[in-house]
Amino acid sequence: MTRKPDEVPAELMQELATLPVFYALEGRRVVVAGGSDGAAWKADLAAAAGAQVDVFAASPSPRLQAVAAARARLTLHERGWRAEDLAGAAMALAVIEDDSEAQTFRDAAKAQGVPVNLTDRPALSDFLMGAIVNRSPLVIGVSTSGAAPAFAQAVRARVETLIPSSFSAWTRAARAWRPRVMASGLDFFARRDFWRRFTREAFARVEHAPQDGDLDALLEETRRADEASTRGRVTLVGAGPGDPELLTLKGLRALVGADVVLFDDLVPAAVLDLARREAVRINVGKRGYAPSVKQEEITALLVKLAKEGKNVVRLKGGDPMIFGRANEEIGAIRAAGLEAEIVPGVTAALAAAAALEVSLTNRDTARRVQFVTAHTSDGKFPEDIDWRALADRRATTAVYMGNRTLPALSKRLLEEGMDPATPAFLVERASTPQQRIIAGSIGDLPQRVAQETLEGPCLVLIGATLRG
């Protein structure tokens, strides 16, 4: 049975607790009230953003005094704040312990039309200040709307590991180069291609500080691609076995830059959600013994979209180069004069081994690992496998798509001399919360599996080393 590629409609934005915005403060006046270290942090932050900062504190902390001494844009007034101090300010920040004074500060700011933030007082604040990842001019804010500041800090720390400090230099280069790119003569699609190439270069050379020579090289590369009508590109990305955290960083970067994502049924929604919101999502699922989109149709769609100038990601479960018919897609893409890139993924066999907590190799019992598929392109049991190699007691075998043909597989291996007691496992939905393991031997696993209802993708592991 066949089916057509199915574009998944874009969803409306989910409810937001707050709207994240970035406020330009260069040359504008900001008022800070309070003398604590918390007030010092807010004053320092405003000054770092280019604001002219007036701090009012009757008893400034040593930290606040140090910040005032170091920041030319910051003026420390060693007295309490007054209502008239707020006149003409672009923003007011305060760290005030007394409830009554905090309310008075809020009222005074409101009377002057000045947006205000009071630390630990979300009900009195017009806006919140979250945790910051600073790779300026690349700036990332993280907020839990005041619900869990410690959690926001933990998320910030995780994000910082993904955003190298060298990105500051790349972002500064982007700002400096943009006028030259606009004046380069490249049209809209070619300019978009330039910035994609720029982004790939930044991620690939994170320790490199970009130079003008890099701009010239990227412009020339873009022009050559434009002349060859290769504005679009296709990236084959391995989505991993199911756990979204097993998606590689490179795969994630490809997803967030995609215009269109073609995905299989086996790709979980949690991985698909990592694509940028504006990306078109098209389900081109192929499932054994179920209605599937023809491979020829998928390949033609990849080429068509890329020729339209789209950045296309072909998202495949597991690793795209293992039983994913990647050669057909790569061949068609290159035959059309388009670029293809492959991003490996964690294949199901490795996730299944992790689920069993047993290595697939062992110097004494398993010196070879072999991946096989248990059915041919027409869904039948394969007869042209090297059965002697499969029955080798010193090999570990991972059988993809093998649950339906498991009885025939077991029978043939036993006929080839495999010990009936050889450990064998079926792992369903490896790496996911729904993961299930059916344990047995090659002699009795088919009977054990027959007693169960299987709904998710399955993989069979066979081998003496699986005894653990």
Side-chain angles (χ1 to χ4, degrees), residues 443-464:
D444 66 14
L445 186 62
Q447 292 76 30
R448 294 175 182 270
V449 170
Q451 298 171 9
E452 305 291 340
T453 300
L454 303 176
E455 297 179 351
C458 299
L459 184 130
V460 176
L461 289 176
I462 307 166

Side-chain angles (χ1 to χ4, degrees), residues 34-41 57-68 76 78:
S36 66
D37 287 355
W41 179 82
S59 301
S61 70
R63 172 61 182 163
L64 179 54
Q65 291 174 334
V67 170
L76 176 59
E78 294 195 30

